[in-house]
Amino acid sequence: MSAIPVNKTDLIEIVAQDTGLTKATSAKAINAVIDVITTSLRSGKQVSILGFGTFAVKQRSARTGRNPKTGEPIHIEAAQVPGFKPG
């Protein structure tokens, strides 16, 4: 059984059908949730949704990579990246 990907438009449509809300109202709700998660992660906070999972900022250490065109080694800086852990 293969998973069928769901994009944001599909998610809005599913929420509208399941709740009886309009697509516009469902879009506002979905966008609000995404905005809260994004804002929280930018400020270094994690977001836990019971029964779904936890969004958190992870530290990715510096490393050496390769330029795909030339094969030359390049330095990749350390970075903070968003992560998700299913719950």
Coordinates of all heavy atoms in Angstrom, one line a residue:
M1 N 0.9 -1.2 0.0 CA 0.0 0.0 0.0 C 0.9 1.2 0.0 O 1.7 1.4 0.9 CB -0.9 0.0 1.2 CG -1.8 1.1 1.4 SD -2.6 1.1 3.0 CE -4.3 1.4 2.4
S2 N 0.8 2.1 -1.0 CA 1.6 3.3 -1.1 C 0.8 4.5 -0.5 O -0.4 4.5 -0.7 CB 2.1 3.5 -2.5 OG 1.0 3.8 -3.3
A3 N 1.5 5.4 0.1 CA 0.9 6.6 0.6 C 0.6 7.6 -0.5 O 1.4 7.8 -1.4 CB 1.8 7.2 1.7
I4 N -0.5 8.2 -0.4 CA -0.9 9.3 -1.4 C -0.5 10.6 -0.7 O -1.1 10.9 0.3 CB -2.4 9.2 -1.8 CG1 -2.7 7.9 -2.4 CG2 -2.7 10.4 -2.7 CD1 -4.1 7.6 -2.6
P5 N 0.3 11.4 -1.4 CA 0.7 12.7 -0.7 C -0.5 13.7 -0.7 O -1.3 13.7 -1.6 CB 1.8 13.3 -1.6 CG 1.7 12.5 -2.9 CD 1.0 11.2 -2.6
V6 N -0.6 14.4 0.4 CA -1.6 15.4 0.6 C -1.0 16.8 0.6 O -0.1 17.0 1.5 CB -2.4 15.1 1.8 CG1 -3.5 16.2 2.1 CG2 -3.1 13.8 1.8
N7 N -1.3 17.7 -0.2 CA -0.7 19.0 -0.2 C -1.7 19.9 0.6 O -2.7 19.5 1.1 CB -0.4 19.6 -1.6 CG -1.7 19.7 -2.4 OD1 -2.8 19.9 -2.0 ND2 -1.5 19.6 -3.7
K8 N -1.3 21.2 0.7 CA -2.1 22.1 1.5 C -3.5 22.3 1.0 O -4.4 22.4 1.8 CB -1.3 23.5 1.6 CG -1.9 24.5 2.5 CD -1.0 25.7 2.6 CE -1.6 26.8 3.4 NZ -0.7 28.0 3.4
T9 N -3.6 22.4 -0.3 CA -4.9 22.6 -0.9 C -5.8 21.4 -0.6 O -7.0 21.5 -0.3 CB -4.8 22.7 -2.4 OG1 -4.0 23.8 -2.7 CG2 -6.2 23.0 -3.1
D10 N -5.3 20.2 -0.7 CA -6.0 18.9 -0.4 C -6.4 19.0 1.1 O -7.6 18.6 1.5 CB -5.2 17.7 -0.6 CG -4.8 17.5 -2.1 OD1 -5.5 18.0 -2.9 OD2 -3.8 16.8 -2.3
L11 N -5.5 19.4 2.0 CA -5.8 19.4 3.4 C -6.9 20.4 3.7 O -7.8 20.1 4.5 CB -4.5 19.8 4.2 CG -4.6 19.8 5.7 CD1 -4.9 18.4 6.2 CD2 -3.2 20.3 6.3
I12 N -6.9 21.5 3.1 CA -8.0 22.5 3.3 C -9.3 21.9 2.8 O -10.3 22.1 3.5 CB -7.7 23.8 2.5 CG1 -6.5 24.6 3.2 CG2 -8.9 24.7 2.4 CD1 -5.9 25.7 2.4
E13 N -9.3 21.3 1.7 CA -10.6 20.7 1.2 C -11.1 19.6 2.2 O -12.3 19.5 2.4 CB -10.3 20.1 -0.2 CG -11.6 19.7 -0.9 CD -11.3 19.4 -2.4 OE1 -10.6 20.2 -3.0 OE2 -11.9 18.4 -2.9
I14 N -10.2 18.7 2.7 CA -10.6 17.7 3.6 C -11.1 18.3 4.9 O -12.2 17.8 5.4 CB -9.4 16.8 3.9 CG1 -9.0 16.0 2.6 CG2 -9.7 15.8 5.1 CD1 -7.6 15.3 2.7
V15 N -10.5 19.3 5.4 CA -11.0 20.0 6.6 C -12.3 20.6 6.4 O -13.3 20.4 7.2 CB -10.0 21.0 7.1 CG1 -10.6 21.9 8.2 CG2 -8.7 20.3 7.6
A16 N -12.5 21.2 5.2 CA -13.8 21.8 4.9 C -14.9 20.7 4.9 O -16.0 20.9 5.4 CB -13.8 22.5 3.6
Q17 N -14.6 19.6 4.2 CA -15.6 18.5 4.1 C -15.9 17.9 5.5 O -17.1 17.7 5.8 CB -15.1 17.4 3.2 CG -15.1 17.8 1.8 CD -14.5 16.7 0.9 OE1 -14.0 15.7 1.4 NE2 -14.4 16.9 -0.4
D18 N -14.9 17.7 6.3 CA -15.1 17.0 7.6 C -15.8 17.9 8.6 O -16.4 17.4 9.5 CB -13.7 16.5 8.2 CG -13.2 15.3 7.4 OD1 -13.9 14.8 6.5 OD2 -12.1 14.9 7.7
T19 N -15.6 19.2 8.5 CA -16.1 20.1 9.5 C -17.4 20.8 9.1 O -18.1 21.4 9.9 CB -15.1 21.2 9.9 OG1 -14.8 22.0 8.8 CG2 -13.8 20.5 10.5
G20 N -17.6 20.9 7.8 CA -18.8 21.6 7.3 C -18.5 23.1 7.2 O -19.4 23.9 6.9
L21 N -17.2 23.5 7.4 CA -16.8 24.9 7.2 C -16.6 25.2 5.7 O -16.4 24.2 4.9 CB -15.5 25.2 7.9 CG -15.5 25.0 9.5 CD1 -14.1 25.1 10.0 CD2 -16.4 26.0 10.1
T22 N -16.6 26.4 5.4 CA -16.3 26.8 4.0 C -14.8 26.6 3.8 O -14.0 26.5 4.7 CB -16.6 28.3 3.7 OG1 -15.7 29.1 4.5 CG2 -18.0 28.6 4.0
K23 N -14.4 26.5 2.5 CA -13.0 26.3 2.2 C -12.2 27.6 2.6 O -11.0 27.4 3.1 CB -12.8 26.1 0.7 CG -13.1 24.7 0.2 CD -12.8 24.6 -1.3 CE -13.3 23.2 -1.8 NZ -13.0 23.0 -3.2
A24 N -12.8 28.7 2.5 CA -12.1 30.0 3.0 C -11.8 29.9 4.5 O -10.7 30.3 4.9 CB -12.9 31.2 2.6
T25 N -12.8 29.5 5.2 CA -12.6 29.4 6.7 C -11.6 28.3 7.1 O -10.8 28.5 7.9 CB -14.0 29.2 7.4 OG1 -14.9 30.2 7.0 CG2 -13.9 29.1 8.9
S26 N -11.7 27.2 6.4 CA -10.8 26.1 6.6 C -9.3 26.6 6.3 O -8.4 26.2 7.0 CB -11.1 24.9 5.8 OG -12.4 24.4 6.1
A27 N -9.2 27.3 5.2 CA -7.9 27.8 4.8 C -7.3 28.8 5.9 O -6.1 28.7 6.2 CB -7.9 28.6 3.5
K28 N -8.2 29.6 6.4 CA -7.7 30.5 7.5 C -7.3 29.7 8.7 O -6.3 30.0 9.4 CB -8.9 31.5 7.9 CG -9.1 32.6 6.9 CD -10.2 33.5 7.4 CE -10.6 34.5 6.4 NZ -11.7 35.4 6.9
A29 N -8.0 28.7 9.1 CA -7.6 27.8 10.2 C -6.3 27.1 10.0 O -5.4 27.1 10.9 CB -8.7 26.8 10.5
I30 N -6.1 26.5 8.8 CA -4.9 25.8 8.5 C -3.7 26.8 8.5 O -2.7 26.5 9.0 CB -5.0 25.1 7.1 CG1 -6.1 24.0 7.1 CG2 -3.7 24.5 6.7 CD1 -5.8 22.8 8.0
N31 N -3.9 28.0 7.9 CA -2.9 29.0 7.8 C -2.5 29.5 9.2 O -1.3 29.7 9.5 CB -3.2 30.1 6.9 CG -3.2 29.8 5.5 OD1 -2.5 28.9 5.0 ND2 -4.1 30.4 4.7
A32 N -3.5 29.6 10.1 CA -3.2 30.0 11.5 C -2.4 29.0 12.2 O -1.4 29.4 12.9 CB -4.5 30.3 12.2
V33 N -2.7 27.7 12.0 CA -1.9 26.7 12.7 C -0.5 26.7 12.2 O 0.5 26.6 13.0 CB -2.6 25.3 12.5 CG1 -1.6 24.2 12.9 CG2 -3.9 25.2 13.2
I34 N -0.3 26.8 10.9 CA 1.0 26.8 10.3 C 1.8 28.0 10.8 O 3.0 28.0 11.1 CB 1.0 26.8 8.7 CG1 0.5 25.4 8.3 CG2 2.3 27.1 8.1 CD1 0.1 25.3 6.8
D35 N 1.1 29.2 10.9 CA 1.8 30.4 11.3 C 2.3 30.3 12.8 O 3.4 30.7 13.1 CB 0.9 31.6 11.2 CG 0.7 32.1 9.8 OD1 1.4 31.6 8.9 OD2 -0.3 32.8 9.5
V36 N 1.4 29.7 13.6 CA 1.8 29.5 15.1 C 3.0 28.6 15.2 O 4.0 28.9 15.9 CB 0.6 28.9 15.9 CG1 1.1 28.4 17.2 CG2 -0.5 30.0 16.0
I37 N 3.0 27.5 14.4 CA 4.2 26.6 14.4 C 5.4 27.3 13.9 O 6.5 27.2 14.6 CB 3.9 25.3 13.6 CG1 2.8 24.5 14.3 CG2 5.1 24.5 13.4 CD1 2.2 23.4 13.4
T38 N 5.3 28.0 12.8 CA 6.5 28.7 12.2 C 7.0 29.7 13.2 O 8.2 29.8 13.4 CB 6.1 29.4 10.9 OG1 5.6 28.4 10.0 CG2 7.3 30.1 10.3
T39 N 6.1 30.6 13.8 CA 6.6 31.6 14.7 C 7.2 31.0 16.0 O 8.2 31.5 16.4 CB 5.4 32.5 15.1 OG1 4.8 33.0 13.9 CG2 5.8 33.6 16.0
S40 N 6.7 30.0 16.5 CA 7.2 29.3 17.6 C 8.6 28.8 17.4 O 9.5 28.9 18.2 CB 6.3 28.2 18.1 OG 5.1 28.7 18.5
L41 N 8.8 28.1 16.2 CA 10.1 27.5 15.9 C 11.1 28.6 15.7 O 12.3 28.5 16.1 CB 10.0 26.7 14.7 CG 9.2 25.4 14.8 CD1 9.1 24.6 13.5 CD2 9.8 24.5 15.9
R42 N 10.7 29.7 15.1 CA 11.7 30.8 14.9 C 12.1 31.4 16.2 O 13.2 31.9 16.3 CB 11.0 31.9 14.0 CG 11.0 31.6 12.6 CD 10.6 32.8 11.7 NE 10.7 32.4 10.3 CZ 9.8 32.7 9.4 NH1 8.7 33.5 9.8 NH2 9.9 32.3 8.2
S43 N 11.3 31.4 17.2 CA 11.7 31.9 18.5 C 12.3 30.9 19.4 O 12.6 31.1 20.6 CB 10.5 32.6 19.2 OG 9.5 31.6 19.5
G44 N 12.6 29.7 18.8 CA 13.3 28.6 19.6 C 12.4 27.7 20.4 O 12.9 26.9 21.2
K45 N 11.1 27.9 20.3 CA 10.1 27.1 21.1 C 9.7 25.9 20.3 O 9.7 25.9 19.1 CB 8.9 27.9 21.5 CG 9.1 29.1 22.3 CD 7.8 29.9 22.5 CE 8.1 31.2 23.2 NZ 6.9 32.0 23.2
Q46 N 9.4 24.8 21.0 CA 8.9 23.6 20.4 C 7.3 23.6 20.5 O 6.8 24.2 21.4 CB 9.5 22.3 20.9 CG 9.0 21.9 22.3 CD 9.5 20.5 22.6 OE1 10.6 20.2 22.2 NE2 8.9 19.8 23.5
V47 N 6.7 22.9 19.5 CA 5.2 22.8 19.5 C 4.9 21.3 19.6 O 5.3 20.6 18.7 CB 4.6 23.5 18.2 CG1 3.1 23.3 18.2 CG2 5.0 24.9 18.1
S48 N 4.1 21.0 20.6 CA 3.7 19.6 20.8 C 2.2 19.5 20.6 O 1.5 20.2 21.2 CB 4.1 19.0 22.2 OG 5.5 19.0 22.3
I49 N 1.8 18.6 19.7 CA 0.4 18.3 19.4 C 0.1 16.9 19.8 O 0.6 16.0 19.2 CB 0.0 18.6 17.9 CG1 0.4 20.0 17.5 CG2 -1.5 18.3 17.7 CD1 0.2 20.3 16.1
L50 N -0.5 16.7 21.0 CA -0.8 15.4 21.5 C -1.5 14.5 20.5 O -2.4 14.9 19.9 CB -1.7 15.6 22.8 CG -1.8 14.3 23.7 CD1 -0.5 13.9 24.2 CD2 -2.8 14.6 24.8
G51 N -0.9 13.3 20.4 CA -1.4 12.4 19.4 C -1.0 12.5 18.0 O -1.3 11.8 17.1
F52 N -0.2 13.6 17.7 CA 0.3 13.9 16.4 C 1.8 13.9 16.4 O 2.4 13.1 15.6 CB -0.3 15.2 15.9 CG 0.2 15.5 14.5 CD1 -0.3 14.8 13.4 CD2 1.0 16.6 14.2 CE1 0.2 15.1 12.1 CE2 1.5 16.9 12.9 CZ 1.0 16.1 11.9
G53 N 2.4 14.8 17.1 CA 3.9 14.8 17.2 C 4.4 16.2 17.7 O 3.6 17.0 18.2
T54 N 5.7 16.3 17.6 CA 6.4 17.5 18.1 C 7.2 18.1 17.1 O 8.0 17.5 16.4 CB 7.2 17.1 19.4 OG1 6.4 16.5 20.4 CG2 7.9 18.4 20.0
F55 N 7.1 19.4 16.9 CA 7.9 20.2 16.0 C 8.9 20.9 16.9 O 8.6 21.5 17.9 CB 7.1 21.3 15.3 CG 6.1 20.8 14.3 CD1 4.8 20.5 14.8 CD2 6.4 20.5 13.0 CE1 3.8 20.1 13.9 CE2 5.4 20.1 12.1 CZ 4.1 19.8 12.6
A56 N 10.2 20.8 16.5 CA 11.3 21.4 17.3 C 12.4 21.9 16.4 O 12.6 21.4 15.3 CB 11.8 20.5 18.4
V57 N 13.2 22.8 16.9 CA 14.4 23.2 16.2 C 15.6 22.3 16.5 O 15.8 22.1 17.7 CB 14.8 24.7 16.5 CG1 16.0 25.1 15.8 CG2 13.6 25.6 16.1
K58 N 16.2 21.8 15.5 CA 17.4 20.9 15.7 C 18.7 21.6 15.2 O 18.6 22.4 14.3 CB 17.2 19.6 14.9 CG 16.0 18.8 15.4 CD 15.9 17.6 14.6 CE 14.7 16.7 15.0 NZ 14.6 15.5 14.3
Q59 N 19.8 21.3 15.9 CA 21.0 21.9 15.5 C 21.7 20.9 14.5 O 21.9 19.7 14.8 CB 21.9 22.1 16.7 CG 23.2 22.7 16.5 CD 23.1 24.2 16.0 OE1 22.1 24.9 16.4 NE2 24.0 24.6 15.2
R60 N 22.0 21.4 13.3 CA 22.8 20.6 12.4 C 24.2 21.1 12.4 O 24.5 22.3 12.2 CB 22.2 20.7 11.0 CG 22.9 19.9 9.9 CD 22.4 20.1 8.5 NE 21.0 19.5 8.4 CZ 20.2 19.8 7.5 NH1 20.5 20.7 6.6 NH2 19.0 19.2 7.5
S61 N 25.2 20.2 12.7 CA 26.6 20.6 12.8 C 27.2 20.9 11.5 O 26.7 20.4 10.4 CB 27.3 19.5 13.6 OG 27.2 18.3 13.0
A62 N 28.3 21.6 11.5 CA 29.0 21.9 10.3 C 29.6 20.6 9.7 O 29.9 19.6 10.4 CB 30.2 22.9 10.6
R63 N 29.7 20.6 8.4 CA 30.2 19.3 7.7 C 30.9 19.7 6.4 O 30.7 20.8 5.9 CB 29.1 18.3 7.6 CG 28.0 18.8 6.7 CD 26.7 17.9 6.9 NE 25.7 18.2 5.9 CZ 24.9 19.2 6.0 NH1 25.0 20.1 6.9 NH2 24.0 19.4 5.0
T64 N 31.5 18.7 5.8 CA 32.1 18.9 4.5 C 31.2 18.2 3.5 O 30.8 17.0 3.7 CB 33.5 18.3 4.4 OG1 34.3 18.9 5.4 CG2 34.1 18.5 3.1
G65 N 30.8 18.9 2.4 CA 30.0 18.3 1.4 C 30.8 18.4 0.1 O 32.0 18.7 0.0
R66 N 30.1 18.1 -1.0 CA 30.7 18.1 -2.3 C 29.9 18.9 -3.3 O 28.6 18.8 -3.3 CB 30.8 16.7 -2.9 CG 31.8 15.8 -2.1 CD 32.7 15.1 -3.0 NE 33.7 14.4 -2.2 CZ 35.0 14.8 -2.1 NH1 35.4 15.9 -2.7 NH2 35.8 14.1 -1.4
N67 N 30.5 19.7 -4.1 CA 29.9 20.4 -5.2 C 29.4 19.4 -6.2 O 30.2 18.7 -6.7 CB 30.8 21.4 -5.8 CG 30.2 22.3 -6.9 OD1 29.4 21.8 -7.6 ND2 30.6 23.5 -7.0
P68 N 28.1 19.3 -6.5 CA 27.7 18.3 -7.4 C 28.2 18.4 -8.8 O 28.3 17.4 -9.6 CB 26.1 18.4 -7.4 CG 25.8 19.6 -6.7 CD 27.0 20.1 -5.9
K69 N 28.5 19.6 -9.3 CA 29.0 19.9 -10.6 C 30.5 19.5 -10.7 O 30.9 18.8 -11.7 CB 28.8 21.3 -11.0 CG 27.4 21.7 -11.4 CD 27.4 23.1 -12.0 CE 25.9 23.4 -12.4 NZ 25.9 24.7 -13.0
T70 N 31.3 19.9 -9.8 CA 32.7 19.7 -9.9 C 33.3 18.6 -9.0 O 34.4 18.1 -9.2 CB 33.5 21.0 -9.5 OG1 33.2 21.3 -8.1 CG2 33.0 22.2 -10.3
G71 N 32.5 18.2 -8.0 CA 33.0 17.2 -7.1 C 34.0 17.7 -6.0 O 34.5 17.0 -5.2
E72 N 34.2 19.0 -6.1 CA 35.1 19.6 -5.1 C 34.5 19.6 -3.7 O 33.3 19.9 -3.6 CB 35.4 21.1 -5.5 CG 36.4 21.3 -6.6 CD 36.7 22.7 -6.9 OE1 36.8 23.5 -5.9 OE2 36.7 23.1 -8.0
P73 N 35.3 19.4 -2.7 CA 34.8 19.5 -1.3 C 34.4 21.0 -1.0 O 35.1 21.9 -1.4 CB 35.9 19.0 -0.4 CG 37.0 18.7 -1.3 CD 36.7 19.0 -2.7
I74 N 33.3 21.1 -0.3 CA 32.9 22.5 0.2 C 32.5 22.4 1.7 O 32.1 21.4 2.1 CB 31.7 23.0 -0.6 CG1 30.5 22.1 -0.6 CG2 32.1 23.3 -2.1 CD1 29.2 22.7 -1.2
H75 N 32.7 23.5 2.3 CA 32.3 23.6 3.8 C 30.9 24.0 3.9 O 30.5 25.0 3.3 CB 33.2 24.6 4.5 CG 32.9 24.8 5.9 ND1 33.1 23.8 6.9 CD2 32.3 25.8 6.6 CE1 32.7 24.2 8.0 NE2 32.1 25.4 7.9
I76 N 30.1 23.2 4.7 CA 28.7 23.6 4.9 C 28.6 24.0 6.4 O 29.0 23.2 7.3 CB 27.8 22.4 4.6 CG1 27.9 21.9 3.2 CG2 26.3 22.7 4.9 CD1 27.2 20.6 2.8
E77 N 28.2 25.2 6.6 CA 28.1 25.8 7.9 C 27.1 25.1 8.8 O 26.1 24.4 8.3 CB 27.7 27.3 7.8 CG 28.5 28.1 7.0 CD 29.5 28.9 7.8 OE1 29.3 29.1 9.0 OE2 30.5 29.3 7.2
A78 N 27.2 25.2 10.1 CA 26.3 24.7 11.1 C 25.0 25.5 10.9 O 25.0 26.6 10.5 CB 26.8 24.8 12.5
A79 N 23.9 24.8 11.2 CA 22.6 25.5 11.0 C 21.5 25.0 11.9 O 21.6 23.9 12.4 CB 22.1 25.3 9.5
Q80 N 20.5 25.8 12.2 CA 19.4 25.4 12.9 C 18.3 25.0 11.9 O 18.0 25.9 11.0 CB 18.9 26.4 13.9 CG 19.8 26.7 15.0 CD 19.3 27.7 16.0 OE1 18.5 28.5 15.7 NE2 19.8 27.6 17.2
V81 N 17.7 23.8 12.0 CA 16.7 23.4 11.1 C 15.5 22.9 11.8 O 15.6 22.4 12.9 CB 17.3 22.3 10.1 CG1 18.4 22.8 9.3 CG2 17.7 21.1 10.9
P82 N 14.3 23.1 11.2 CA 13.1 22.5 11.8 C 13.1 21.0 11.7 O 13.5 20.4 10.8 CB 11.9 23.2 11.0 CG 12.5 23.5 9.7 CD 14.0 23.8 9.9
G83 N 12.5 20.4 12.8 CA 12.4 18.9 12.7 C 11.0 18.5 13.3 O 10.3 19.3 13.9
F84 N 10.6 17.3 13.0 CA 9.4 16.8 13.4 C 9.6 15.4 13.9 O 10.3 14.6 13.3 CB 8.3 16.7 12.3 CG 7.0 16.2 12.7 CD1 6.1 16.9 13.5 CD2 6.7 14.9 12.3 CE1 4.9 16.3 13.9 CE2 5.4 14.3 12.7 CZ 4.6 15.1 13.5
K85 N 9.0 15.1 15.1 CA 9.1 13.8 15.7 C 7.6 13.3 15.9 O 6.9 13.9 16.7 CB 9.8 13.8 17.0 CG 10.1 12.5 17.7 CD 10.9 12.9 18.9 CE 11.3 11.9 19.8 NZ 12.1 12.3 20.9
P86 N 7.2 12.2 15.2 CA 5.8 11.8 15.3 C 5.5 11.3 16.7 O 6.4 10.8 17.4 CB 5.7 10.6 14.3 CG 7.0 10.6 13.6 CD 8.0 11.5 14.2
G87 N 4.3 11.5 17.2 CA 3.9 11.1 18.5 C 2.9 10.1 18.5 O 1.9 9.9 18.7

